[in-house]
């Protein structure tokens, strides 16, 4: 099976712009989770989608949003970018149970200037 | 709320020596524990997990981890380290939220440096 794919791999934006990141899960996986990774804060959970519904949400401002499509592909959007949004954004997919392994994509490196 | 602590920011070990990367957790109910590894500019790779059963879990690349319920620990071990094991290691715990669905909480990560 193909792994989790994320596009684009690298992005450079300026403050105030918005950005959309894409994630394609492993075939058959219906749960997609998004994480932000920064040197200072480590890995922080953004949100999780299952069957096109947001099931869980982390402690991030409303500028961060996401959605999931019927084919389980997911996008996350960040509006009004701030310098502090510079990070590696990781997507992970799994089946459904809490015992199931989450498999991660390579990430999207976002740099905000 | 669930949490994971990795008390060491960095672990240094010589190639061929055994290595241990420490992890303790706090969670309500039964913990589901995971170890991941991250190489520079890459995503996380799954190493192993503990769900139930034998306290010693064997995973990829010769790694293993020991679940200790009384000490709420899940330390990662390898009998003989390789230079190529140098990477960032994350411990994570999964547990149900108040809404009934699980989330994965990660520790801060431990950088493992294996010297030749």
């Amino acid at each position: 099976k193909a792994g989790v794919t994320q596009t684009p791999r690298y992005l450079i934006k300026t403050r105030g712009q918005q950005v959309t990141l894409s994630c394609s899960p492993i075939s058959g996986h219906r749960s997609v989770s998004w994480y932000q990774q920064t040197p200072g804060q480590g890995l922080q959970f953004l949100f999780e989608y299952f069957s096109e519904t947001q099931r869980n949400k982390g402690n991030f401002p409303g500028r961060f949003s996401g959605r999931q499509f019927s084919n389980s592909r997911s996008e996350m959007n960040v509006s009004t970018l701030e310098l502090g949004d510079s990070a590696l954004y990781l997507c992970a997919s799994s089946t459904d149970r809490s015992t199931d392994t989450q498999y991660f994509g390579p990430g999207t490196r976002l740099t905000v200037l | 709320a669930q949490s994971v602590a990795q008390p060491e920011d960095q672990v240094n070990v010589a190639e061929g020596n055994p290595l241990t990367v420490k992890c303790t957790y706090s969670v309500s109910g039964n913990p589901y524990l995971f170890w991941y590894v991250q190489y520079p500019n890459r995503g996380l790779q799954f190493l192993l997990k503990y769900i139930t059963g034998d306290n010693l879990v064997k995973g990829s690349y010769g790694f293993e981890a020991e679940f200790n319920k009384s000490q709420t620990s899940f330390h990662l071990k390898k009998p003989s380290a390789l230079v190529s094991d140098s990477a960032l290691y994350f411990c994570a715990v999964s547990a149900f939220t108040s809404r009934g669905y699980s989330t994965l909480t990660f520790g801060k990560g431990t950088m493992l440096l294996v010297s030749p």
Side-chain angles (χ1 to χ4, degrees), chain A residues 99-103, chain B residues 19 21 23 32-37 44-51 54-67 73-79 89-93 104 106:
Chain A
T99 55
D100 292 332
T101 300
Q102 289 191 19
Y103 293 94
Chain B
L19 69 88
V21 182
C23 170
Y32 306 127
L33 296 155
F34 302 79
W35 276 102
Y36 287 85
V37 60
L44 274 65
Q45 294 180 27
F46 169 71
L47 282 177
L48 52 80
K49 68 180 178 182
Y50 171 82
I51 304 302
D54 194 348
N55 289 343
L56 186 63
V57 180
K58 294 189 182 297
S60 305
Y61 313 120
F63 284 93
E64 57 189 27
E66 187 169 10
F67 171 66
S73 67
F74 190 56
H75 301 329
L76 181 70
K77 301 181 180 184
K78 187 174 182 181
Y89 290 80
F90 290 95
C91 180
V93 65
L104 202 57
F106 286 88

Side-chain angles (χ1 to χ4, degrees), chain B residues 10-21 78-83 85-86 111-116:
Chain B
Q10 184 168 308
V11 170
N12 297 297
V13 64
E15 187 173 36
N17 284 357
L19 69 88
T20 298
V21 182
K78 187 174 182 181
S80 179
L82 299 173
V83 172
D85 292 331
S86 298
M111 179 64 71
L112 174 66
L113 294 177
V114 182
S115 55

Side-chain angles (χ1 to χ4, degrees), chain A residues 13-25:
Chain A
K13 293 285 187 179
T14 57
R15 280 181 300 173
Q17 289 186 307
Q18 76 166 18
V19 66
T20 298
L21 312 181
S22 181
C23 171
S24 291

Side-chain angles (χ1 to χ4, degrees), chain A residues 71-83:
Chain A
N71 62 358
S72 294
R73 189 177 70 85
S74 178
E75 291 182 346
M76 68 163 281
N77 184 278
V78 187
S79 62
T80 320
L81 284 166
E82 301 178 358
L83 296 178

